[in-house]
Amino acid sequence: MSEQVGEAVPAAQKSSWTTFLKSLAGFTGDLSAMTAPPFILSPTSLTEFPAYWCERPELFAAIADGKTEQARALAVLKWFISTLKGQYTSRNESMGSEKKPLNPVLGELFYGYWPANATRGGKTTLVVEQVSHHPPITAYRIENLEKGVILTGHSAQKTSFSGTFYVFVCHVSPRMPDPRLTSTLAGSIIVKQVGHAVLTVSLPSGETEEYLITLPRLRIDGLWYGSPYIELAETSYIQSSTGWLSTIEYKGKGYFSGKSHSFKATLTPPPHVHTSPHVIEGTWHTTSKELHSGATFHDVTSPKEEITVAPVEKQGEWESRKLWYGVAKGIREGDFESAATFKGKIENEQRQRRRDESASGTTWELKHFKHVEYDTVYERLGKLFKANPPTEDGYDYLGNGPYSES
């Protein structure tokens, strides 16, 4: 492992990266408020991230094809594990390292779909809205109505730094007349994902199954070298209304040992079902196997399917790719001065909008979602595995997305 600070950082930005690391180590509070060096910025808004839930839409649709409660619970687990590569490692593959996404503005929108085909039935649609700016919260809805599979959720992040920035001074010697300053950063950015998702499956019998999905904690390593990457940490859960529970434990690469992106998932039956648990192990960004049978459980080494989005010229002013077009263009072309100018303009307009609302005593009205103080599905299903926290708020979808009539 190299010991050079900012080895992956462009030469012209090594100084700013070192300054950023020092600020990071001394910062208290939520790190999302910090300004990152230009080379670490992504040209993509955080409102596009819910599309990662469905980059393999055939697995999303296949949940409805399970003939038993157990089969559907396994299908949900397989689909969920298959979403993790896109959500947490795709920027490393396409951009060389993890990048800081653009922070969405309140009211920002993102729409897209995956077309119908014989394998997955009807069109699968996505509606995303930035429902809060302070703190940033993104709500989303994914539907394949022909198959009767729907995902509704919201997410936010609370970030902090865990570690220390050390500075050392070498002793002066005849062979080294000038003291040499060296430093190192020991630590990671810790991201606590706030929020949850609820998957509903409408069955031919007329009944509906629900699955509460909690989110893993993230650890961003590789900071010292200027090449950040994400490891998942701790445990997340998928609780079915039928009683089946998936417990997913994440174990990543440590400083000295461990295999990157490892996980172990255990699907346990409800008390009245007398069968052995299913245990799956592997790496979530490649493949995994069911331990009992040795059969491959999930495999995401094949290409994903990108979401279809309207051309920028046909998007509304609040849609992500049109809103951030100038910023994204500047980042992609390495013209960070231009990107900063466009970004500053958007942010200043948003600050003025909030001041105008405050002066008039009005508040921003959401377009596609309604905030609810208590998500009853979260509370009901969370009790089955003692979710922490025991209650969470949520966002109900209003059914008025651009694909509602299609």
Side-chain angles (χ1 to χ4, degrees), residues 70-92:
Q70 179 178 352
R72 289 188 292 274
L74 277 167
V76 172
L77 177 60
K78 180 179 180 179
W79 157 76
F80 174 78
I81 296 298
S82 298
T83 71
L84 299 178
K85 177 182 180 180
Q87 295 195 62
Y88 303 116
T89 67
S90 61
R91 275 82 59 195
N92 291 68

Side-chain angles (χ1 to χ4, degrees), residues 106-107 318 349-365:
L106 178 61
W318 289 98
E349 288 174 351
Q350 290 303 303
R351 293 188 188 100
Q352 185 59 51
R353 194 179 298 274
R354 301 288 85 80
R355 285 193 290 266
D356 292 343
E357 290 172 352
S358 178
S360 63
T362 60
T363 56
W364 180 262
E365 186 173 335

Side-chain angles (χ1 to χ4, degrees), residues 88-89 91 104 154 231 251 393:
Y88 303 116
T89 67
R91 275 82 59 195
H154 71 281
E231 279 291 2
K251 295 182 179 180
D393 63 349

Side-chain angles (χ1 to χ4, degrees), residues 74 264-267 276-281 289-293:
L74 277 167
K264 177 182 179 180
T266 305
L267 177 64
S276 299
H278 293 268
V279 181
I280 296 99
E281 287 190 349
K289 290 186 176 182
E290 190 166 359
L291 294 192
H292 178 70
S293 65

Side-chain angles (χ1 to χ4, degrees), residues 17 20-21 24 31-32 40 49 87-88 91-92 97-101 157-163 185-193 217-233 253 261:
W17 181 246
F20 174 69
L21 293 181
L24 188 67
L31 295 177
S32 61
I40 208 70
F49 278 41
Q87 295 195 62
Y88 303 116
R91 275 82 59 195
N92 291 68
S97 70
E98 185 59 38
K99 302 295 184 182
K100 183 181 185 297
Q157 294 78 34
K158 291 184 177 180
T159 54
S160 60
F161 177 74
S162 175
L185 179 76
S188 309
I189 293 177
I190 306 300
V191 182
K192 179 183 178 182
Q193 298 200 92
R217 186 164 295 201
L218 317 180
R219 191 183 75 238
I220 303 178
D221 294 324
L223 299 171
W224 175 243
Y225 308 102
S227 183
Y229 65 91
I230 289 176
E231 279 291 2
L232 302 186
K253 184 177 180 181
H261 312 327

Side-chain angles (χ1 to χ4, degrees), residues 212 214 237 239 245 247 378-391:
L212 170 63
T214 67
Y237 302 91
Q239 176 66 65
L245 172 66
T247 303
Y378 178 94
E379 188 170 358
R380 171 165 44 86
L381 297 184
K383 286 180 180 178
L384 300 181
F385 66 98
K386 298 180 181 178
N388 183 25
T391 63

